Amino acid sequence: TRLQKELATASNREEKINALKKIIDHGVIYDSATAEKSINEAIFLAEESRDRKLMAGIRIHIARAYLLQAGKQSSLNKAEVFINEALKISKESDGLERELIMAQLTLSRIHRNSGRGEKAIEANTVAINYANDLGDDSLRVWAYMANGRNYLYRDEKLNAFKNYLAALNIADQTKH
């Protein structure tokens, strides 16, 4: 396939990992054996680099790929395993605040898709706190929007609206 050719012609680690990400995204939907092989290869390349940001980032990507199969609990379980690994790496490493926030937001989505609304809000609240501490307005908007979805899922429309409004206010203040 085109993606396999892209991987075969990749000349460095970054190109290989980018090609593997595309194969993983396709594989989790259409070919689980290829997805598993590509996941193992991507994790190996990331681990081999000793780059903690890359190690966390590939696991976040894998978890989000499994979220494409949101209706399947087995895929959600796999996503949760990878996101917990990403959280562990991010928490143990300096300078990975952005990855930590993205992992918390992904964990929140996994909980929401698994019907664990309260845990989704808890994980999202942690992400909001980290994003506020970091001061990254884009992540803050993303976190409040995600929390709005969590409350909407629980049919708590007023709390959802408050979170959407908080995101809008941040975006307005920063001209995003």
Side-chain angles (χ1 to χ4, degrees), residues 2 93 145:
R2 179 186 58 82
S93 306
M145 292 293 292

Side-chain angles (χ1 to χ4, degrees), residues 3-166:
L3 295 176
Q4 292 295 344
K5 287 178 187 172
E6 186 178 330
L7 177 60
T9 60
S11 60
N12 59 46
R13 178 179 285 120
E14 184 179 347
E15 288 178 6
K16 286 181 182 178
I17 287 180
N18 285 336
L20 286 166
K21 284 179 177 180
K22 294 174 189 174
I23 293 169
I24 291 165
D25 290 346
H26 183 268
V28 296
I29 297 172
Y30 300 110
D31 184 357
S32 61
T34 299
E36 295 287 329
K37 179 179 176 278
S38 299
I39 286 167
N40 291 334
E41 189 174 348
I43 288 175
F44 177 79
L45 287 170
E47 296 284 333
E48 184 180 55
S49 76
R50 316 266 309 145
D51 179 344
R52 308 289 283 171
K53 183 175 183 174
L54 184 58
M55 292 163 61
I58 194 63
R59 285 169 172 84
I60 293 168
H61 184 89
I62 294 165
R64 293 168 114 193
Y66 276 116
L67 281 171
L68 296 174
Q69 296 283 332
K72 293 175 65 176
Q73 189 60 48
S74 62
S75 293
L76 291 170
N77 293 342
K78 288 178 184 178
E80 192 165 5
V81 167
F82 285 108
I83 211 61
N84 283 327
E85 290 175 9
L87 281 166
K88 184 177 188 296
I89 292 166
S90 299
K91 287 177 181 176
E92 293 174 349
S93 306
D94 291 332
L96 296 187
E97 292 82 7
R98 186 172 179 80
E99 286 72 20
L100 180 59
I101 294 165
M102 292 176 4
Q104 280 294 147
L105 290 170
T106 304
L107 179 62
S108 173
R109 187 172 160 202
I110 291 166
H111 286 316
R112 183 176 65 240
N113 289 355
S114 296
R116 300 184 301 249
E118 192 60 41
K119 283 189 170 204
I121 290 170
E122 288 173 19
N124 212 116
T125 300
V126 171
I128 288 171
N129 292 335
Y130 285 142
N132 285 333
D133 289 347
L134 185 61
D136 185 319
D137 292 330
S138 295
L139 286 176
R140 291 174 64 211
V141 168
W142 184 15
Y144 279 107
M145 292 293 292
N147 215 32
R149 284 188 294 278
N150 288 332
Y151 280 113
L152 202 55
Y153 170 81
R154 294 167 48 114
D155 203 30
E156 295 182 29
K157 293 180 179 109
L158 182 58
N159 285 330
F161 179 71
K162 288 177 183 177
N163 278 272
Y164 291 138
L165 193 56

